[in-house]
Amino acid sequence: MSNNVPQEKFGNWLEPASPGLFGLALPAVIVSAAGLILGLLLLMRTFYLAAVLMLLITAMIVFLGMVKFGGTTIFGKFTDRLSLASRKASGSAFYVTGALSTLPPEDAERLPGALLDVDTISGTDGLGREYSLLHHKSVGQLAAVFGCSPDGASMQEQSVVNAQVSKFGIWLSSLSVEDGLTGATIVVDSASESSAGTCAAIREDVAPGAPAFAKEVLDHAVGTLPARSAVLNVYATMVWDAETLAEKDISSAVAEVAARLPAQSEMLSDAGAGSPEPLVEAELAHVAQLAYQPMRDQEMALDALNGRQAVKDWQHAGPGFFDDSQGRVVFHDGVASMTLMMTVPPGAHITSRSFDRIFGPNSKFLRKRVALFYRPVDPGTGAKVVDKLVKTADWKITTRKGRPTSWDKAAKAVAEKTEEELAQGARLSLFSMMVTVTFSPDEKSYRDALNQVKSLMNQLIMPYRFVEHAGSAAFHTTLPFGVLPWRYSGSPLWLGKGATQ
């Protein structure tokens, strides 16, 4: 690697926020002011008890419902617990497929949650490549999943990496002007998988007439390979709104998406994704099966080598069972998983190597998925958002008691710099990150996984919180299948916490 080319630093992160006062957000300030005014009016009319009650009620509303602790309010935590208890009582927190499933026969082995109502639509794009789009029928979306093969920063010159970072920024900017595009995700799926499939493949490739000595040497060399090897899979998922592409005509919408796949492949390739290829139905089913049953990776690798595949179609890719009744940890097919989410953008500038540890395989997990979500913002809306951020930064500096802090000045500088760059043609994108880790369902493995994932997140200087009461939804959101939270929920708590351009 060239040592005379510095790593590019990026981190023009902005957190959408409204003006506040005394550490309270604008809605909390309005409620507090309204309660105080009403209390004073009651005092003026000598309704002392009513005035005290009004002030107490106002304080409770603000403290319980508007002040966040660890990324959520006390009222939010209560409603989360209530929702989990309700799902446990109704039996919807435990999902079973196969003969014991209570679903209709045609849905008995489908994926759970938001993916239950998702079908595949297959075809061939303009480059002659087969593809399978995921049709999210409940929200009218079409998702195309690309399997990527990036070389990685450690295998390239720094100047090349810097150029790819720049091209990735161009790809992100293009999301804001892509007609019908509602969002995109990048999922980095890592594991320490069995080497059995690789070893068997090497032995299978030996020519029948090869000398016995050569066969013996090769067999010995294969025997020295480690039992497990690091595997890193990267998926880029683009999601379009079917009605925007072709009103009430899904076949026309599919044709439009298929026509766009080659251009998206080229842009992703320029951004360092290697040779992106759209995944087909069997590959999508395999991704789901490995997520639910990572301990079967050796068996699946050997079966695939022999031309056998347990699950070849999307309709039968669901887990044997999925238990979402315990809160933070969910259990599925003999393993356990938990998910955490970013609550605030990174607290410092980052480089192309900053995420190496969080993206890479880790022996403490059976599998780990890091999902980055990008929500495009049209140029007009982006300008309004940044203008609001500049005014908010000014407000915080003006109203702060005492001298403005360095953080206040830095926030204003970033907002003004972003405003200037938007005026020159840059684009704004909302983003967030979620991490799902899978481990053995025992106390030691849970403790090791918990400590390790906390360590990985802390080195990013990125505030986060664990998903405590919607583990199933979080688990399936981090799969590369195009589940965009803002389309399934009117106001997801975590999205919109970060913006970049």
Side-chain angles (χ1 to χ4, degrees), residues 320-453:
F321 78 93
F322 201 102
D323 184 1
D324 184 23
S325 63
Q326 303 304 310
R328 175 184 296 186
V329 179
V330 297
F331 299 90
H332 49 94
D333 292 357
V335 294
S337 296
M338 58 184 171
T339 301
L340 58 84
M341 62 179 76
M342 176 191 95
T343 57
V344 178
H349 288 280
I350 61 175
T351 70
S352 56
R353 305 300 300 273
S354 298
F355 283 74
D356 281 1
R357 289 188 64 210
I358 191 69
F359 285 154
N362 191 297
S363 60
K364 297 296 183 181
F365 314 121
L366 295 174
R367 205 160 199 94
K368 171 169 55 65
R369 288 192 307 279
V370 181
L372 297 169
F373 300 84
Y374 297 100
R375 184 177 183 177
V377 179
D378 67 84
T381 302
K384 293 178 182 178
V385 169
V386 174
D387 179 63
K388 183 178 178 181
L389 289 171
V390 173
K391 292 178 180 178
T392 299
D394 280 331
W395 169 265
K396 287 184 177 180
I397 290 178
T398 304
T399 59
R400 178 175 290 280
K401 186 178 181 180
R403 69 175 184 83
T405 66
S406 298
W407 295 106
D408 294 331
K409 295 176 182 178
K412 181 180 178 180
V414 170
E416 290 177 340
K417 181 174 182 289
T418 302
E419 185 178 42
E420 179 182 347
E421 292 177 350
L422 286 182
Q424 296 174 357
R427 297 288 182 265
L428 194 72
S429 293
L430 296 178
F431 83 99
S432 193
M433 186 176 87
M434 298 177 72
V435 181
T436 296
V437 295
T438 302
F439 46 92
S440 298
D442 57 75
E443 186 63 30
K444 181 180 183 303
S445 297
Y446 167 70
R447 186 170 58 253
D448 289 346
L450 182 65
N451 292 334
Q452 188 64 31
V453 76

Side-chain angles (χ1 to χ4, degrees), residues 194-227:
S194 169
S195 301
T198 302
C199 295
I202 294 174
R203 292 189 173 104
E204 286 288 332
D205 285 341
V206 176
F213 178 73
K215 291 182 179 180
E216 183 178 347
V217 171
L218 181 63
D219 189 67
H220 177 74
V222 170
T224 62
L225 292 176

Side-chain angles (χ1 to χ4, degrees), residues 79-159:
T79 55
D80 284 344
R81 290 180 181 274
L82 191 63
S83 174
L84 178 60
S86 175
R87 289 190 291 113
K88 289 170 67 173
S90 65
S92 59
F94 192 77
Y95 183 84
V96 181
T97 64
L100 299 179
S101 175
T102 57
L103 295 169
E106 63 273 13
D107 296 333
E109 295 182 340
R110 294 179 68 95
L111 279 72
L115 297 172
L116 183 64
D117 199 29
V118 175
D119 288 332
T120 56
I121 302 175
S122 300
T124 305
D125 69 6
L127 298 179
R129 303 175 303 180
E130 293 184 350
Y131 66 81
S132 291
L133 302 182
L134 294 172
H135 182 202
H136 294 247
K137 295 184 289 186
S138 62
V139 291
Q141 293 185 158
L142 290 170
V145 185
F146 292 91
C148 305
S149 52
D151 289 331
S154 60
M155 300 178 65
Q156 302 180 79
E157 294 258 347
Q158 187 60 49
S159 58

Side-chain angles (χ1 to χ4, degrees), residues 8-82:
E8 291 283 354
K9 291 183 179 181
F10 49 100
N12 204 7
W13 320 113
L14 296 168
E15 183 182 3
S18 58
L21 199 62
F22 305 119
L24 297 177
L26 182 59
V29 172
I30 293 174
V31 172
S32 300
L36 182 60
I37 292 172
L38 289 174
L40 290 175
L41 290 174
L42 290 171
L43 280 175
M44 291 172 63
R45 292 179 174 273
T46 67
F47 297 141
Y48 301 114
L49 181 59
V52 172
L53 286 175
M54 175 58 66
L55 294 176
L56 286 176
I57 291 173
T58 301
M60 288 182 62
I61 291 174
V62 172
F63 181 74
L64 298 179
M66 295 184 171
V67 178
K68 293 185 177 181
F69 301 92
T72 186
T73 63
I74 295 176
F75 181 74
K77 292 180 180 181
F78 173 75
T79 55
D80 284 344
R81 290 180 181 274
L82 191 63

Side-chain angles (χ1 to χ4, degrees), residues 246-265:
E247 187 175 354
K248 297 181 181 180
D249 185 0
I250 191 63
S251 59
S252 297
V254 169
E256 179 65 25
V257 171
R260 300 184 184 190
L261 296 183
Q264 289 295 335
S265 293

